[in-house]
Amino acid sequence: MSELLKGREMEKELRQKMEEAVWVARSLFERNRTTGSSANLSFLHNQSMYITAGGSCFGTLTEENFAVMDMEGRPLGDKKPSKEWPLHLGIYRKKPRTGAVLHTHGTHAVLWSFVPVRDETDCIPACTPYLKMKLGRVCMVPYEQPGSQALFDAFEKRVMSGDGYLLKRHGAVVPGADIMDAFYCLEELEENARIAWELWRAGEGSEAYWMHAD
């Protein structure tokens, strides 16, 4: 393949990834999975990380709202990345099959993070079979100030303990093979958190119940 043709194929691939990322962001925003400028997402392309710029809103996201970084965390353009870019880069470095990462502050994921759990490496009950089928185990990460080095350190210690992550009092972090895969996994995490929360509120949150939830 000539360098020109290869370049065109890479450009086409990047455009498709951008279009999917923008669609996912809009879908999450329009369905109240996130609000304001609180969420961030990223994907890999040509050995670089494309991540939403700081202050970006999922509801108005465009292809112009992405910052680019190398795999050492160095910026490759003039856009400032989301302050939580180390969460994304930490997953890419330790889980090389990951192609995209989503971080949102979904209401039910945050609510569930307040509920005491028996196993912090598997903190959301698989109320439907699809959580385990799509994503796997969700690991709880203890609360630290958003965007702080303490949060990044706590996350790094637990990144290999789960397939997805629930930051206490903060929100979900979900990797995927690509942006659509991460989106599907995030949907299952949020839906299972919603069902678990409703069951817990209804008085079904006993030790015996959760022992048999899987």
Side-chain angles (χ1 to χ4, degrees):
M1 183 183 294
S2 70
E3 288 300 315
L4 178 59
L5 184 57
K6 184 178 179 181
R8 287 176 177 172
E9 287 297 317
M10 291 292 288
E11 184 178 341
K12 181 180 178 182
E13 181 182 339
L14 176 58
R15 187 162 55 251
Q16 180 177 349
K17 290 177 179 179
M18 285 283 192
E19 289 173 356
E20 290 177 347
V22 169
W23 182 88
V24 164
R26 296 278 181 87
S27 174
L28 291 169
F29 186 85
E30 290 169 359
R31 292 180 298 113
N32 298 315
R33 297 295 204 200
T34 189
T35 59
S37 61
S38 62
N40 42 78
L41 64 81
S42 69
F43 61 85
L44 296 184
H45 179 74
N46 196 26
Q47 300 181 334
S48 297
M49 178 174 71
Y50 287 71
I51 184 167
T52 45
S56 298
C57 173
F58 271 22
T60 58
L61 195 71
T62 70
E63 295 181 10
E64 301 302 315
N65 298 129
F66 283 86
V68 187
M69 308 181 77
D70 68 17
M71 300 311 290
E72 299 301 320
R74 294 181 293 247
L76 298 177
D78 57 358
K79 289 280 194 328
K80 184 177 180 180
S82 164
K83 66 182 178 182
E84 292 181 322
W85 64 264
L87 297 176
H88 297 247
L89 193 59
I91 295 176
Y92 292 129
R93 284 175 171 171
K94 292 199 170 184
K95 295 191 170 184
R97 294 184 179 180
T98 302
V101 176
L102 271 167
H103 171 40
T104 60
H105 298 180
T107 300
H108 289 96
V110 174
L111 283 170
W112 185 253
S113 77
F114 285 88
V115 177
V117 295
R118 290 184 296 110
D119 183 358
E120 291 196 342
T121 68
D122 195 13
C123 68
I124 299 181
C127 299
T128 75
Y130 304 107
L131 179 65
K132 289 292 198 296
M133 289 169 62
K134 286 286 187 182
L135 179 58
R137 294 163 62 92
V138 180
C139 176
M140 180 79 77
V141 178
Y143 177 78
E144 297 291 351
Q145 184 72 22
S148 68
Q149 188 59 49
L151 172 62
F152 304 145
D153 291 344
F155 186 79
E156 185 177 8
K157 289 177 183 177
R158 292 162 178 80
V159 72
M160 299 306 293
S161 298
D163 304 295
Y165 313 92
L166 182 57
L167 310 183
K168 196 168 184 65
R169 297 170 50 196
H170 187 159
V173 179
V174 177
D178 52 42
I179 194 68
M180 294 306 298
D181 183 48
F183 171 69
Y184 299 144
C185 291
L186 178 68
E187 291 286 90
E188 294 304 331
L189 185 155
E190 187 69 30
E191 180 65 4
N192 276 261
R194 183 187 69 81
I195 297 170
W197 173 255
E198 293 295 341
L199 288 170
W200 187 78
R201 287 182 66 208
E204 300 292 339
S206 67
E207 180 81 7
Y209 177 82
W210 296 121
M211 283 179 66
H212 297 288
D214 292 345

